[in-house]
Amino acid sequence: MHEPNEVLQTLTGRGTVSAEGCGTVRVRYRVVVERRDSTVTAHGSLHGSHAGLRPIWLTPDSTLRLKTGRSLAISITDLVGDTAEFESTGPVGPL
């Protein structure tokens, strides 16, 4: 049996965030992958241009592309200056 909110891995690097109708933004990311009950989720922070992140923050669905080339469906939940917080919105597979 797994502990609640068990951290499985933490990833850092440079990637991009994009959303339909918005430009792509280059970011530095920190992704924490956790097991919550029986579900694997991810959350973390992004650091990039406020002007580029703001339209994506206003869009409910976006995609974070990691330096490995893998993608993660996310939603930006908070934006302060050039730093954004996000949560995964879809299945989190191997990253």
Side-chain angles (χ1 to χ4, degrees), residues 18-72:
S18 59
E20 189 172 330
C22 301
T24 299
V25 181
R26 293 176 49 177
V27 296
R28 287 183 311 200
Y29 60 82
R30 180 174 186 272
V31 179
V32 178
V33 180
E34 294 183 327
R35 181 181 319 277
R36 294 183 185 169
D37 298 320
S38 62
T39 305
V40 176
T41 64
H43 61 90
S45 59
L46 307 169
H47 186 79
S49 158
H50 178 84
L53 289 170
R54 188 170 191 285
I56 296 172
W57 175 47
L58 298 172
T59 304
D61 299 315
S62 54
T63 302
L64 171 60
R65 182 167 298 278
L66 306 176
K67 66 183 177 183
T68 61
R70 301 222 183 235
S71 295
L72 183 62

